[in-house]
Amino acid sequence: SAVISQKPSRDICQRGTSLTIQCQVDSQVTMMFWYRQQPGQSLTLIATANQGSEATYESGFVIDKFPISRPNLTFSTLTVSNMSPEDSSIYLCSVGLASTYEQYFGPGTRLTVT
Amino acid sequence: AQSVTQPDIHITVSEGASLELRCNYSYGATPYLFWYVQSPGQGLQLLLKYFSGDTLVQGIKGFEAEFKRSQSSFNLRKPSVHWSDAAEYFCAVGAVSNFGNEKLTFGTGTRLTIIP
């Protein structure tokens, strides 16, 4: 497995602002993923962020709203831009070790937009 | 496209009783199947996985799950629950999406409450 940390753990932000969430892994990994978990809901994949290539976004998510950086094999950031109350969610990063499917998750960032 | 159904939104079980959480999937080929647990305020922890081979898989914390192809199911079981098992449980299927990329698709989760 891997040890994954996220910063911040939680934040309260005003609408119209942006927040950047950091994800740090204790080992080098190729595959990193960003998910959104809206209140009382399941996880929805936002994008896949592999080092050395552009992030791949899922249907319904766009780069202008959720820009992602992946500068090296242990770190990634997700920015939630021009936030609205509908962006209030838990944002989780995960890494794929042996395969894309076997993923290990960070503790999440709880975002509240007022 | 692949999908996962967890029919039970909320289950309450007495401590020491047995547990079964249901999961049904939809996918044209043999899927990769997973169970994750999310404790309050925590991220997701992988409980167990099925890739191939023996259809009864053992996981951490005394959990097991059985893959039944004929029923498209991957139910999670535990013979005797502990109060610390109270959490949200997610079933997931790993498959190739309509866009051609590999991804995990999660069910809506089952909240488990343990009563003394």
Side-chain angles (χ1 to χ4, degrees):
Chain A
S1 65
V3 177
I4 305 163
S5 60
Q6 287 186 233
K7 290 182 180 179
S9 59
R10 60 178 61 224
D11 207 342
I12 301 174
C13 301
Q14 293 189 337
R15 70 171 66 212
T17 62
S18 298
L19 176 71
T20 295
I21 302 168
Q22 299 178 4
C23 179
Q24 180 77 50
V25 189
D26 68 341
S27 58
Q28 294 185 336
V29 297
T30 301
M31 296 173 288
M32 294 184 76
F33 308 87
W34 286 98
Y35 289 83
R36 181 175 72 182
Q37 186 179 22
Q38 294 177 302
Q41 303 294 315
S42 185
L43 282 78
T44 302
L45 180 64
I46 297 172
T48 301
N50 292 338
Q51 199 271 338
S53 62
E54 296 292 319
T56 303
Y57 289 83
E58 295 296 304
S59 177
F61 297 97
V62 295
I63 187 171
D64 290 345
K65 176 67 175 177
F66 298 101
I68 289 171
S69 77
R70 183 77 201 275
N72 57 51
L73 291 173
T74 63
F75 187 78
S76 178
T77 66
L78 170 76
T79 299
V80 186
S81 303
N82 188 25
M83 289 184 285
S84 67
E86 292 71 33
D87 294 319
S88 297
S89 297
I90 298 173
Y91 292 86
L92 300 106
C93 71
S94 73
V95 302
L97 296 181
S99 75
T100 301
Y101 304 127
E102 189 170 345
Q103 296 181 21
Y104 295 87
F105 286 80
T109 295
R110 183 179 295 272
L111 170 62
T112 302
V113 183
T114 60
Chain B
Q2 64 274 18
S3 66
V4 179
T5 301
Q6 293 180 248
D8 304 305
I9 297 173
H10 187 200
I11 285 183
T12 300
V13 177
S14 298
E15 189 169 16
S18 63
L19 170 70
E20 181 169 28
L21 302 182
R22 296 184 291 165
C23 172
N24 293 97
Y25 69 90
S26 174
Y27 184 59
T30 300
Y32 301 108
L33 295 162
F34 304 84
W35 275 99
Y36 286 86
V37 59
Q38 184 177 35
S39 299
Q42 303 295 314
L44 274 72
Q45 182 180 22
L46 179 64
L47 281 177
L48 48 77
K49 59 184 183 283
Y50 172 77
F51 282 4
S52 65
D54 193 346
T55 56
L56 183 64
V57 294
Q58 303 296 321
I60 62 171
K61 304 185 179 185
F63 285 93
E64 67 177 27
E66 186 171 12
F67 170 58
K68 293 185 176 180
R69 183 188 303 275
S70 62
Q71 299 177 18
S72 298
S73 69
F74 188 58
N75 294 348
L76 182 71
R77 301 195 294 251
K78 187 170 185 177
S80 176
V81 298
H82 186 262
W83 64 266
S84 61
D85 294 324
E88 189 89 17
Y89 291 80
F90 292 95
C91 181
V93 59
V96 178
S97 74
N98 288 339
F99 297 96
N101 59 310
E102 298 175 338
K103 60 181 288 186
L104 277 181
T105 299
F106 286 84
T108 51
T110 297
R111 181 183 305 171
L112 176 64
T113 297
I114 308 295
I115 57 176

